[in-house]
Amino acid sequence: MFSRDNRKSDFFYEPDVSVRLDGNLTDDLSYRLYARAQYDAFAREKDGNAAVARMGARLTENWDGWRFSAIYEHRCDFDGVYRDLAFTSDDVMGSVARDFRVNNVTFSPLLLLTYRFSDLAEARRWRFDALLGIEVKLDPQWSIVSTPLFEAFWFTDGLNRGRQDQIYSADIGLKYNFASNVSLTTSVLYEARESNVMVRRYRDLRIGPRLDFAF
């Protein structure tokens, strides 16, 4: 999957459901407990089907407009749609984020560093994420949105020891807010992965809608 050879196009859908409990320990310190399930189901290329189940906790300190977070997440990765358990892992993360507003434009930069412990040696790795959320409000319902992203991976064990990947992605979308808790975003995303392992390099183009709602 995602190789430069024998490329194929397909349709897929990706349900992503989470439940969470948020609260405050102090005026500046908040917590979140959450559980999340998501999967990819392809129309034709069934070997691409995969699923993830997660449980985690997050502490966030707000300081002068910046948000500093410490996160722990336990996850189970499955082959197919919750068919066979592939591996389990524990992610330890630290992040810093902030929102900047300039007239009708909101910029939301985020830096995230993760180390993954796993029962599968090949899944153990460091990961660094840098992204910039951008939202341009056109009116109360319509927005133009984009989230350029850079990810870097350093694998530490097993057959992947020494492997280094870098992922670059850029997207642009049009978002419509039906209500304060329901929105529909249609976007185009281009993603490229570079790696010191030749077969891990790929290019990916995705086009489609996303429906977000909370209650």
Side-chain angles (χ1 to χ4, degrees):
M1 304 302 293
F2 295 118
S3 73
R4 297 180 303 163
D5 304 319
N6 195 28
R7 291 169 58 85
K8 298 179 181 180
S9 62
D10 202 354
F11 292 92
F12 73 98
Y13 63 98
E14 186 181 45
D16 187 342
V17 180
S18 63
V19 293
R20 71 191 196 200
L21 174 66
D22 293 347
N24 293 294
L25 299 177
T26 68
D27 290 341
D28 297 322
L29 183 63
S30 62
Y31 68 86
R32 171 173 294 174
L33 305 175
Y34 64 90
R36 181 179 176 186
Q38 66 184 110
Y39 65 84
D40 295 337
F42 287 81
R44 295 185 299 270
E45 301 302 320
K46 302 299 185 180
D47 288 343
N49 292 354
V52 180
R54 316 177 191 182
M55 292 189 300
R58 186 186 77 185
L59 283 175
T60 299
E61 176 74 22
N62 290 279
W63 182 73
D64 196 28
W66 293 89
R67 300 185 300 275
F68 298 88
S69 297
I71 308 159
Y72 166 77
E73 184 175 279
H74 178 75
R75 58 181 283 157
C76 299
D77 284 72
F78 296 83
D79 294 325
V81 180
Y82 298 106
R83 188 183 64 206
D84 301 315
L85 179 64
F87 62 90
T88 61
S89 58
D90 296 280
D91 290 350
V92 179
M93 297 169 268
S95 71
V96 57
R98 182 169 182 167
D99 295 333
F100 298 91
R101 290 181 175 83
V102 181
N103 298 322
N104 64 326
V105 183
T106 302
F107 298 96
S108 303
L110 169 70
L111 299 177
L112 175 69
L113 183 64
T114 305
Y115 184 75
R116 171 167 293 173
F117 302 89
S118 178
D119 59 359
L120 178 67
E122 286 73 18
R124 299 170 195 158
R125 45 83 172 145
W126 288 94
R127 171 177 171 174
F128 172 72
D129 294 64
L131 63 87
L132 177 62
I134 304 170
E135 182 171 7
V136 182
K137 280 281 191 182
L138 303 177
D139 61 30
Q141 280 76 44
W142 292 95
S143 302
I144 296 172
V145 293
S146 179
T147 309
L149 169 67
F150 170 74
E151 299 171 281
F153 298 82
W154 298 269
F155 292 85
T156 60
D157 288 301
L159 298 176
N160 278 334
R161 182 186 293 273
R163 174 182 154 195
Q164 298 179 16
D165 294 357
Q166 302 83 40
I167 295 178
Y168 308 85
S169 71
D171 71 311
I172 188 166
L174 188 62
K175 178 180 178 182
Y176 181 77
N177 294 299
F178 294 97
S180 60
N181 62 339
V182 182
S183 65
L184 177 68
T185 304
T186 301
S187 62
V188 178
L189 180 146
Y190 176 77
E191 181 175 280
R193 180 166 71 186
E194 301 296 331
S195 176
N196 60 352
V197 178
M198 183 72 69
V199 296
R200 294 299 181 177
R201 301 175 185 175
Y202 68 77
R203 302 291 184 269
D204 188 21
L205 178 66
R206 307 177 201 173
I207 304 171
R210 186 184 80 234
L211 178 66
D212 296 292
F213 61 93
F215 58 89

